[in-house]
Amino acid sequence: MAGWCASREGSGGKPLLMSIYVAVLAGAVFSAIVIFSNLNSGVKFSFPVAGYTHSPSPPSSLLHVGEISQNGSSASEPTPHTTTNHSSHAAQKPQNILTKAIWEVPVDKKMPDPKVFQLTKEMVEYRAKDNVIIITFGNFAFMDFILNWVRHLTELNVFNLLVGAMDSKLLEALYWKGVPVFDMGSNMNTMDVGWGSPTFHKMGREKVLLINALLPFGYELLMCDTDMVWLKNPLPYLARFPEADVLTSSDQVVPTVTDDSLDLWQQVSGAYNIGIFHWRPTETSKKLAKEWKEVLLADEKIWDQHVFNELVHRVLGPSVEGGKGLVYAYDGRLKLGILPASIFCSGHTYFVQAMYAQLSLEPYAVHTTFQYAGTEGKRHRLREAMAFYDPPEYYDSPGGFLSFKPRIPKSLLLDGAHTLESHFSLVNYQLKNIRTALAIASLLNRTLVMPPIWCRFDRMWFGHPGIMEGTITRQPFLCPMDHVFEVHVMLKELPEDEFGPEIDFREYSFFNNPLVSSQVKESVLEVQLCDGQSVKCNMDNETTQPGVITFPKQSKQEKLLQVFSSYKDVKVIQFSSMEDAFAGFTDKEKEEKFRNRVKRYVGIWCCVLSRDPGHIYYDMFWDEKPGWKPEPPKSREEDHPPW
């Protein structure tokens, strides 16, 4: 996550904010309708991203990333695409590693000579279109992100791309997938890298070295991190600003414009984010890249993005006359533009504010910043947005799925002021039901499809009043799962003898994803909870409706296993509610292991203003502690999870 500046907007931004709130006022009524329509829905629900209607859906023709085999035997393999090059002789060349179409699987079983993967001007020339090349890079740990990045671009009919491989394992894997790849010669290990680690900083330096290597080739460069995806072809937008030397994204969370023009540089307080930026091969941009490289190579601990921001802010202003929002920066000659955060989205403007939807705009990109669960959290956010393409087995489960209708009381969701207490009351109610669902999923060996999680308060790394001042975050809002849950912990392999069996889960939007087969979506058993004291409830569980059964509330482990063992062939078991659905385990050892596992599943809310520490731990078993209140730790000694 890039740095974020918490400084307030100047008074000059107030008229603009007034116009923004007028623009979104009509959406307030719609927001309430969305909330109520989503609360009681089940398998056939339609949950758009962040509770709004402009959520992009994956194309039905999209091939699962994992389906392209080394021998090209996939039945649904996409048609390979070649790049129309600015050089007329390109189409006349014989097909080789340079000219091979994207997704065209090699027929030769032997890897080519390593020399052919060296980055050259000729390689860029064959892939570039209209003098533009789009680049990302990474190591093998980000293989699925890279395939996802390439897939999104090719589905948008954008093929002028190259991928830099930082290790030989990734280079070989991408080659056999038919992805145009070059060797960065980094010799990096294949593991995931943590933010701020030495390896993280090494990756940042590799980016700057790559920019310096590419700009002299004379092509425009759109450089991207692997943890972002393209939702719309950005090249026509970038072409609107031919005078720009550099166009960069930012961590701005307060809108400065209400249309698709560049953000107003005078009002941007968020850091410029180098996860998405566009360079033209001008003398002043090359000068910036060279100095950036020299500063980084002189200090191995300094952060590449921090240096970029310092250099660019060395001079900032005045505006370029007739430059459509460009500003003179760096040396007073560099023409800089800041891409609008509403449509070149950060993890906050997309997943929390849904700024693009509130302003009736179409997003070009989303970068998975502003999240709290590492690489696993980034992947899960894209899955929630149906913008991540998993292998086919992800969309099925050997044991089937379990889901439930949340049925959140209106009083918890909408009534009263938005306070710390009302936020935790809302989240805690959902935690209790999810805890029950996790227990049932564990006993039935089913994959839990998480419900959407609603929040009243935003989450940050520092104290704030509930939502960020100046943002257009609606309250309540559909919050990303990593706001509450430790997604990376839930996916971690834990010893079964201590934590019980793994409990697999899927994102709340899972059944909306067109990549989930109709065989899964249509194989549903609806479970209607009933009063266990009723004679009718305890009869054979059958109802007059096919595919629907009744099930007594407060049932124990044996009852669950007895009833649902008859429905192992049903893909989806959907409960009408989780309220009082489960009375508990009878196997105390199994219960203890379950509790030991799920108490680690929840994280923190952050943060109370003017408190240190100011974060508050969520507690999966809050209801078992009389008088529990949402309060920060009173001391450093008390600052630990509630277990």
Side-chain angles (χ1 to χ4, degrees), residues 6 72 121 143 233 291 307 320 324 491 515 556 591 636:
K121 183 176 181 180
M143 170 82 168
N233 181 359
E291 185 173 358
V307 175
V320 176
K324 303 178 184 178
L491 292 168
L515 297 177
K556 285 190 171 287
E591 178 181 17
R636 290 297 177 187

Side-chain angles (χ1 to χ4, degrees), residues 509-539:
S509 57
F510 182 75
F511 291 121
N512 290 91
N513 197 317
L515 297 177
V516 178
S517 70
S518 57
Q519 287 84 354
V520 170
K521 294 179 181 180
E522 295 170 6
S523 177
V524 180
L525 176 70
E526 294 190 22
V527 181
Q528 298 179 347
L529 295 180
C530 55
D531 184 356
Q533 303 301 316
S534 166
V535 175
K536 185 177 180 181
C537 182
N538 280 288
M539 294 177 68

Side-chain angles (χ1 to χ4, degrees), residues 415-430:
D415 291 357
H418 298 294
T419 64
L420 190 63
E421 289 72 21
S422 65
H423 168 76
F424 270 86
S425 294
L426 170 61
V427 173
N428 281 347
Y429 176 87
Q430 296 171 89

